Amino acid sequence: LLRRAKRAGFGDAALATLLGCGEADVRARRHAAGIRPVYATVDTCAAEFAAQTPYHYSTYEEETEVAPSDRPRVLILGSGPNRIGQGIEFDYCCVHAVFGLRAAGYETVMVNCNPETVSTDYDTADRLYFEPLTTEDVLEVYEAELAAVGGDRDKVAVLVQLGGQTPLALARDLAAAGVRIIGTQPDAIDLAEDRGAFAALLDDLGIPQPAGGAAGSVDEALAVAQRVGFPVLVRPSYVLGGQSMEIVYTPEHMRRWLEANAAPAGRQQGLAVLVDRFLEGAVEVDVDAVYDGDEVYVGGVLEHIEEAGVHSGDSACVVPPYTLGRAQLAQLRTYTEAIAARLHTRGLINIQFALRDEAIFVLEANPRASRTVPFVSKATGVPLAQVAARVMAGASLADLRAQGLVPADDFVTGPLPRHTAVKEAVLPFDRFPGVDTRLGPEMRSTGEVMGIDPSFGVAFAKSQAGTGSMVLPTKGTVFASIANRDKRALIFPAKRLAELGFTVLATQGTADTLRRAGVDAEVVRKASEGHPNVIDRIAAGEVDLVLNTPMGSGPRSDGYAIRTAAVSRGVPCITTLSGILAAIQGIEALRADGVGVRSLQDYHHDLEQDRAARGSRR
């Protein structure tokens, strides 16, 4: 009966549910009965000649078609099905790991189930298993590859850190089953994700962090929020793509969020809610680095254009940072190395910081691949995922430096790029009428584009044009409705837009501020103040750019109609002050006709020349 169930497609987890036992119990009973899958081959050459790049799928038949081989191999777990928050960027990391490990002499084995990825192209890895990313299926693939090398466990390893949260969730079960996981170990990954343990680690290192805590009940969550002060950032533990994260401003708002999101989460027992002080108005920074146990290589420092609190997958990012000084970069590097060392990282680590005034706070650390790795690699010319894969397989950064895969200096200690690269998110709002375009901690983007140029303004303008929905206008009418705390800061951007020939429309409060500063602003009604109003003007095609910075729970809701009207009409809508400043630089660059085209390889060549010149001076 068990064999019939497996041949019919029942997974061990489903059978465990039906039988009222654990998945491990089903697996043990199945193995004891000798019920194991075999792997059939898809002949990529249709039997015309011998296929050198076959791929496999499991079946409960009698004979396996996995060919024996005595070469050491690494199983790379892919990112699984695509979804918002589980980006294709992780597939890039997996594919580059294949390139790096193959160059080092390893046989590469890809395990993934998504046909819309490069990792599942039959000629990417030496072997491809088109299988679900579950504990059951990965263990069976591991056993098949173990059999192919005659049972020598030293010749088979598994890499889980490059495919995002899906393979990471399997790490502990795989390790418990005796699988050799290379790179950062599951305990270190869990330590980084355990809010209390990680906070204690930072305290021990003397590294600042926003005040916060973990909560196991509604009362505990409210107590943490009252202790650290509103606004707070709340999230379930082990979130994917910022799912269900929210910035909360009042106890009532907190209670509503808890009622909607207080179900037990993932591997944690109980409520498992994390509550952190939200640093409103801070600058957020990402650092992508590789650590080999002795030294750190900082691949890139990315400054977010949007305010802190916008998910890194939705925020526009700039390399090199355009407002940070060398001293701040050096401090970020010091913090990164200290955290990577304490977490016993081997391979990639991504750390998110918030900078407010003179202080640098650590928001979170992820000792795994991040979705910014492809962007950083293309901006700097250093293949970070390949470097990390080699480090996870045992190479040192010194070894890779001697082979020319890693420059002598990293992003902080070496010369900064002469060009600027801007990553911008592709947001699907035009596909979902009525959805609020306000960005926040929950990831909503479905892709990303990159603009690159020696000038920040041109690079930003290119990135906006690349999204297809945020092409910056060079003339016309701009509408502004700005939160009270941003009104003073808007004066000079509004003056500059007026100097560039834009007609300025504004709601009453914003218009009063601008007029007192000498900006000729026409007052337009809000949607709640009757007709004609700003929604009518947008719908009639009389507005070319919308500036709306919601702040706090009330204003964040009040701008909903404005933002959705802008999306439905295809009008660029910018919701952060820093985004407004960047957009003005982009508009200036477009008006100056300074947009040119140059290959990515040319930019990388300039970087190599700068690094070589620095080396010769030594």
Side-chain angles (χ1 to χ4, degrees):
L1 179 62
L2 183 56
R3 181 178 295 276
R4 285 173 57 199
K6 297 304 292 183
R7 295 189 71 174
F10 283 85
D12 287 352
L15 291 173
T17 300
L18 292 172
L19 296 170
C21 62
E23 182 179 350
D25 299 324
V26 175
R27 183 161 55 248
R29 180 66 177 271
R30 179 167 58 79
H31 288 181
I35 302 171
R36 306 289 288 267
V38 297
Y39 292 90
T41 299
V42 175
D43 188 346
T44 53
C45 297
E48 187 174 349
F49 49 86
Q52 300 300 312
T53 53
Y55 62 96
H56 306 292
Y57 63 94
S58 61
T59 178
Y60 278 83
E61 297 296 339
E62 302 301 323
E63 184 178 349
T64 189
E65 297 179 0
V66 176
S69 169
D70 62 355
R71 290 171 58 199
R73 73 265 331 276
V74 177
L75 277 67
I76 301 167
L77 304 190
S79 57
N82 275 0
R83 56 174 289 183
I84 294 176
Q86 184 80 354
I88 203 69
E89 301 91 341
F90 296 121
D91 197 65
Y92 171 100
C93 294
C94 292
V95 171
H96 275 256
V98 168
F99 297 159
L101 292 170
R102 180 183 288 161
Y106 291 91
E107 188 163 317
T108 55
V109 182
M110 181 64 64
V111 184
N112 205 359
C113 59
N114 185 353
E116 296 296 325
T117 59
V118 180
S119 67
T120 51
D121 286 354
Y122 63 85
D123 56 353
T124 292
D126 295 313
R127 294 203 224 203
L128 165 66
Y129 286 85
F130 207 85
E131 293 293 307
L133 286 166
T134 67
T135 301
E136 172 188 352
D137 293 287
V138 173
L139 282 176
E140 294 296 351
V141 170
Y142 173 80
E143 292 295 333
E145 286 298 314
L146 193 60
V149 295
D152 188 347
R153 292 186 177 272
D154 291 335
K155 287 188 175 181
V156 185
V158 176
L159 201 162
V160 302
Q161 296 93 348
L162 299 183
Q165 198 68 38
T166 299
L168 277 181
L170 307 178
R172 184 162 293 283
D173 288 343
L174 296 178
V179 172
R180 183 165 68 95
I181 294 175
I182 58 173
T184 306
Q185 294 302 296
D187 286 344
I189 295 169
D190 285 345
L191 173 59
E193 292 184 321
D194 184 314
R195 180 64 178 84
F198 185 65
L201 181 151
L202 292 179
D203 287 341
D204 189 46
L205 292 172
I207 297 176
Q209 59 187 310
S217 69
V218 174
D219 288 341
E220 286 181 13
L222 287 168
V224 173
Q226 295 288 1
R227 173 172 57 83
V228 304
F230 288 98
V232 294
L233 181 68
V234 290
R235 51 186 164 154
S237 183
Y238 293 99
V239 295
L240 177 65
Q243 189 173 358
S244 299
M245 291 172 64
E246 191 163 341
I247 299 166
V248 170
Y249 288 83
T250 64
E252 293 72 24
H253 189 183
M254 171 73 89
R255 288 188 180 278
R256 290 197 303 272
W257 184 88
L258 290 169
E259 288 173 2
N261 298 280
R267 289 172 283 178
Q268 298 289 329
Q269 296 297 318
L271 194 62
V273 168
L274 307 181
V275 182
D276 294 296
R277 171 72 179 171
F278 176 56
L279 302 174
E280 203 158 24
V283 175
E284 194 162 335
V285 174
D286 270 68
V287 175
D288 280 316
V290 177
Y291 189 72
D292 67 356
D294 293 315
E295 63 172 315
V296 69
Y297 176 83
V298 175
V301 178
L302 301 84
E303 181 177 348
H304 292 212
I305 291 177
E306 280 78 13
E307 64 185 23
V310 174
H311 192 280
S312 60
D314 289 350
S315 178
C317 297
V318 184
V319 170
Y322 70 121
T323 68
L324 304 189
R326 279 287 188 174
Q328 289 172 304
L329 294 179
Q331 187 66 65
L332 290 169
R333 188 184 193 280
T334 299
Y335 285 168
T336 298
E337 185 167 22
I339 293 169
R342 185 60 66 89
L343 289 174
H344 304 292
T345 304
R346 295 296 183 274
L348 280 165
I349 183 168
N350 169 266
I351 304 181
Q352 295 173 22
F353 298 90
L355 282 65
R356 192 162 76 171
D357 301 325
E358 297 299 316
I360 299 177
F361 299 89
V362 172
L363 299 180
E364 62 179 67
N366 298 297
R368 56 170 174 80
S370 71
R371 57 177 46 84
T372 52
V373 165
F375 169 66
V376 170
S377 299
K378 293 178 182 182
T380 65
V382 179
L384 280 183
Q386 292 190 43
V387 171
R390 295 284 296 274
V391 166
M392 286 188 274
S396 69
L397 287 170
D399 296 335
L400 302 179
R401 195 177 295 116
Q403 298 171 29
L405 193 60
V406 177
D409 293 305
D410 67 14
F411 184 87
V412 175
T413 59
L416 294 178
R418 285 184 271 169
H419 61 265
T420 297
V422 178
K423 176 186 79 72
E424 182 58 282
V426 177
L427 297 159
F429 298 134
D430 58 341
R431 308 285 183 91
F432 300 96
V435 171
D436 193 354
T437 65
R438 174 179 61 86
L439 300 178
E442 183 168 354
M443 182 175 167
R444 306 168 83 184
S445 69
T446 53
E448 63 186 27
V449 295
M450 173 176 168
I452 185 168
D453 195 87
S455 160
F456 167 75
V458 176
F460 183 80
K462 286 179 177 179
S463 72
Q464 302 308 293
T467 67
S469 60
M470 283 290 288
V471 180
L472 297 174
T474 56
K475 60 182 180 180
T477 300
V478 57
F479 165 75
S481 177
I482 305 299
N484 289 333
R485 64 175 296 163
D486 290 332
K487 283 185 170 63
R488 179 180 297 176
L490 180 72
I491 291 172
F492 287 106
K495 276 190 172 183
R496 183 56 183 151
L497 287 170
E499 289 170 359
L500 292 171
F502 282 84
T503 299
V504 179
L505 306 180
T507 51
Q508 186 70 60
T510 302
D512 289 344
T513 300
L514 295 178
R515 284 171 170 175
R516 286 192 292 268
V519 179
D520 184 15
E522 176 188 340
V523 176
V524 62
R525 292 189 181 101
K526 297 178 182 179
S528 59
E529 295 174 344
H531 297 277
N533 56 42
V534 62
I535 307 302
D536 301 324
R537 300 287 290 270
I538 293 173
E542 298 175 9
V543 176
D544 302 287
L545 178 64
V546 171
L547 311 179
N548 175 248
T549 64
M551 190 71 67
S553 57
R556 283 182 183 267
S557 300
D558 292 341
Y560 170 80
I562 295 170
R563 296 189 292 272
T564 53
V567 169
S568 64
R569 183 67 190 183
V571 177
C573 179
I574 302 174
T575 61
T576 64
L577 184 62
S578 52
I580 292 170
L581 298 173
I584 291 173
Q585 293 186 60
I587 290 169
E588 289 175 333
L590 292 174
R591 288 174 64 92
D593 198 24
V595 179
V597 177
R598 194 167 182 237
S599 73
L600 196 60
Q601 289 81 358
D602 285 341
Y603 287 111
H604 291 172
H605 180 260
D606 289 347
L607 277 170
E608 290 168 4
Q609 285 189 320
D610 291 342
R611 290 164 182 155
R614 180 180 175 86
S616 65
R617 287 195 296 270
R618 288 177 171 175

